[in-house]
Amino acid sequence: MASTPVTPGQALATLLDGNRRFVAGTPGHPNQDAARRAELAPVQTPFAVLLGCSDSRLAAEIIFDQGLGDLFVVRTAGHVLGPEVLGSIEYGTSILDCRLVVVLGHDSCGAVAAARSAVENGLPATGYVRDVVERVTPSVLAARAAGVTSDSDFIDAHIRHTVDLLLDRSRVLADQVASGHTGVVGLAYQLAEGNARLVTAHGVPTAQSPAPTAAG
């Protein structure tokens, strides 16, 4: 693997490059050997925090072709935010010095579908699933108010809402973005194609944001 990214733009470029390798079917499987395992035993130095959906089809290290110690991953259904999630992300940027936070959503998201069903058809979830649905509902309501109708646009709206909410609730992260230390981006993953598409970015140069396309 190349040298560890030291800026938000470099971190995003590293992830998108890895995703291109994954889409093309030529992954490098970096940092996955015994030597890397031994190197990481006393300390970890990931370059990015990834807040992703818990969906089993969304394994961050695989789709971005990264290895042990490269990513600090936090996963919840629908990438919803709570105090534990916010604390974990702040730990990644403040203690582990990660330079990028990624909110990773995807098409066919069950949490977004359930929230849409609750809003459009009056079908509320039960148990603690209801808490997840209620946290996604503001994204659905805002998207509907803006005239959104397509599934992909609802997914994008929820990704943007999560990024905005993250920066609004975490003063620590907002200050790190303002100072140029950390960037925050939202990516939408396409399950069939395997590519991650940029949806929104804060504190990351736009030149670092081309979206990979599926190999033909």
Side-chain angles (χ1 to χ4, degrees):
M1 183 180 177
S3 58
T4 301
V6 295
T7 69
Q10 289 172 356
L12 179 59
T14 296
L15 290 178
L16 294 182
D17 285 346
N19 182 236
R20 291 187 185 92
R21 294 192 298 272
F22 172 71
V23 170
T26 57
H29 302 295
N31 295 332
Q32 297 180 19
D33 56 12
R36 178 66 167 179
R37 185 177 69 237
E39 174 190 348
L40 290 173
V43 65
Q44 61 170 321
T45 56
F47 67 86
V49 178
L50 193 139
L51 170 60
C53 183
S54 297
D55 194 292
S56 61
R57 300 164 291 183
L58 210 68
E61 287 88 353
I62 294 175
I63 67 175
F64 292 112
D65 194 28
Q66 301 301 310
L68 295 172
D70 291 328
L71 303 177
F72 189 72
V73 180
V74 183
R75 298 178 69 177
T76 62
H79 51 80
V80 298
L81 294 175
E84 299 86 353
V85 173
L86 290 166
S88 296
I89 292 170
E90 289 184 358
Y91 181 87
T93 59
S94 301
I95 307 301
L96 301 179
D97 200 31
C98 294
R99 295 308 179 93
L100 182 71
V101 175
V102 177
V103 173
L104 181 65
H106 66 95
D107 56 347
S108 301
C109 178
V112 174
R116 289 184 65 186
S117 242
V119 169
E120 297 169 3
N121 305 314
L123 298 175
T126 59
Y128 283 105
V129 175
R130 182 171 182 173
D131 183 66
V132 173
V133 171
E134 288 177 348
R135 294 185 189 211
V136 179
T137 297
S139 301
V140 171
L141 291 174
R144 281 168 55 86
V148 165
T149 57
S150 73
D151 290 342
S152 63
D153 286 340
F154 271 102
I155 297 298
D156 287 3
H158 182 46
I159 292 170
R160 290 191 187 94
H161 179 75
T162 303
V163 169
D164 291 343
L165 196 61
L166 177 56
L167 290 170
D168 180 63
R169 289 190 176 178
S170 174
R171 176 49 50 193
V172 169
L173 183 59
D175 288 346
Q176 289 170 341
V177 171
S179 70
H181 177 276
T182 307
V184 181
V185 301
L187 300 178
Y189 180 71
Q190 311 300 313
L191 293 171
E193 294 83 2
N195 65 293
R197 171 177 54 84
L198 186 75
V199 174
T200 185
H202 297 262
V204 181
T206 56
Q208 300 292 343
S209 60
T213 57

